[in-house]
Amino acid sequence: MGFGRAHLDRPEETMDYLHFFSPVRISRGQGYPVEEVDSVAEAMVFLRKWPTGRRGPVYQCALNCCSAALSGQMSAEEARKAFTGFARITRLLDDDTALPMGSDSKASIHALRR
């Protein structure tokens, strides 16, 4: 029995083995709650809602990686790396997860990113 298209339409079935080791924290800016994306299925939902006009090569890479993970051709952690890269490039990655542990120079990192 193969997984065809129906498999992708039911992410609840895939979430058990496609959870990320640690969630990707998404921040849309001040005044918005931080979202935690903790599985390939959730990353896919997020990517499908992304505005069509803002879909570039990094978006396509993240989408392709999540699709590959859902079809068993890539690990959840590889897909997480691609999704994290997309979140970083689009400046949605929550700053706390981008900082090395024990770093207290948040201001200098903000200066570098602008």
Side-chain angles (χ1 to χ4, degrees), residues 35-56:
E35 298 172 51
E36 290 195 345
V37 177
D38 65 359
S39 71
V40 174
E42 285 183 27
M44 199 68 164
V45 168
F46 186 92
L47 290 168
R48 285 183 178 150
K49 292 178 181 176
W50 192 248
T52 308
R54 295 186 63 199
R55 296 179 180 186

Side-chain angles (χ1 to χ4, degrees), residues 3 7 12-20 39-40 69-72 74-77:
F3 281 117
H7 176 70
E12 66 277 2
E13 289 182 5
T14 63
M15 287 178 68
D16 286 343
Y17 62 93
L18 291 176
H19 262 90
F20 294 151
S39 71
V40 174
L70 285 173
S71 64
M74 181 179 280
S75 75
E77 284 310 299

Side-chain angles (χ1 to χ4, degrees), residues 53-67:
R54 295 186 63 199
R55 296 179 180 186
V58 177
Y59 166 88
Q60 198 59 53
C61 175
L63 187 71
N64 291 348
C65 290
C66 288
S67 293

Side-chain angles (χ1 to χ4, degrees), residues 71-93:
S71 64
Q73 299 169 339
M74 181 179 280
S75 75
E77 284 310 299
E78 289 171 308
R80 180 189 184 278
K81 286 179 188 173
F83 183 72
T84 301
F86 164 77
R88 183 174 285 120
I89 292 292
T90 56
R91 296 181 175 225
L92 290 174
L93 189 65

